[in-house]
Amino acid sequence: MSIQVSLSGLSFCALSKEEKRIVFFKDILFSRKLNPAQVLQQIEKQYEQEPFLKGGKPEVIVLFSNELYSLVPQEFFEEENASEYLKYNTKILETDYVAQDDIPSAAIVNVYIPYTNINNFFFEKYGEFEYRHSISVLAEEFQIQNRFQTEGTRVYLNCFPGGYDLLVYQQGKLILANSFNCNSREDFIYYLLFCAEQLDLDPSSFELILLGRIKEHSDYYDIAYTYVKEIKFLQSSFGYIFNGREEPPKGYMHYTLFKAVG
């Protein structure tokens, strides 16, 4: 079972690999951005209300989706100084635990801060379990997809409530990964075009690949199309049956959730 945790919502996906079937799927959006203590209350509420979550001991992977991360080239990473890579773009508290994900396909280490109170809840519930940052899943998968790309630029935009992740691959290499907060179409296009300008990219020449919570002909899609002409949605197929059909509709909307467990 994969569980994605953010301050804006929760998602659950449980698979039966023997039956190639999704046996539980639930997606919750909060009405406003919460703090980690309030998110834990929402998790506890789900475990009280959902019969599926009350029983069994599945293999669990928890994904944290937040902006409290920094990608470091493997050759420069020093584990004993992990917090140093975060202090310039993240406010670190004394009680924060600094974790790391290795991304061998890209020779990168993702240093990040998980929500310790939420990790403690899942440890009490399941014992040992795996956890990662959602950007690590994206960086790893897209690096594999671009490993034979010797020319051109692909920009991946993973939209979530209140913002998006942006990953840029040029000639098969990751050159930028960042997350931005936005609540308007103007903010949405500003950060995309600003990154393009900083990387000296022509918006009319790169490929923009959308995933996450974005739909064709939505406000965000339409304003992006005003400036970027080559836009498509991420093609994904995980081959699991859900309620008699293959996968939940628009699987690209929950790419990290499904990819982590599938």
Side-chain angles (χ1 to χ4, degrees), residues 50 54 58 65 121 134 153:
E50 286 291 343
K54 290 181 180 180
S65 178
F121 170 85
S134 61
T153 301

Coordinates of all heavy atoms in Angstrom, one line a residue, residues 50 54 58 65 121 134 153:
E50 N -12.3 3.9 7.9 CA -12.2 3.0 6.8 C -12.0 1.6 7.2 O -10.9 1.3 7.8 CB -11.1 3.5 5.8 CG -11.4 4.7 5.0 CD -12.5 4.4 4.0 OE1 -12.7 3.2 3.7 OE2 -13.0 5.4 3.5
K54 N -8.3 -0.7 8.8 CA -8.3 -1.1 10.2 C -7.6 -2.5 10.4 O -7.1 -2.8 11.4 CB -9.8 -1.2 10.8 CG -10.4 0.1 11.0 CD -11.8 -0.1 11.5 CE -12.5 1.3 11.8 NZ -13.9 1.1 12.3
P58 N -0.2 -4.8 5.6 CA 0.3 -4.7 4.2 C 1.8 -4.1 4.3 O 2.2 -3.5 5.2 CB -0.6 -3.7 3.5 CG -1.1 -2.8 4.6 CD -1.2 -3.7 5.8
S65 N 5.0 14.7 0.2 CA 5.0 15.7 -0.8 C 5.1 17.1 -0.2 O 4.1 17.6 0.4 CB 3.8 15.6 -1.7 OG 3.7 16.6 -2.7
F121 N 3.4 7.7 13.7 CA 2.0 7.0 13.7 C 2.1 5.7 12.9 O 1.6 4.7 13.3 CB 1.0 8.0 13.1 CG -0.3 7.3 12.8 CD1 -1.3 7.2 13.7 CD2 -0.6 6.8 11.5 CE1 -2.5 6.6 13.5 CE2 -1.8 6.2 11.2 CZ -2.7 6.1 12.2
S134 N 8.2 12.4 -2.6 CA 7.6 12.2 -3.9 C 8.5 12.7 -5.0 O 8.4 12.1 -6.1 CB 6.2 12.9 -4.0 OG 6.4 14.3 -3.7
T153 N 14.8 19.2 -25.0 CA 14.5 19.5 -23.6 C 13.0 19.0 -23.3 O 12.1 19.3 -24.0 CB 14.6 21.0 -23.3 OG1 15.9 21.4 -23.6 CG2 14.3 21.3 -21.8

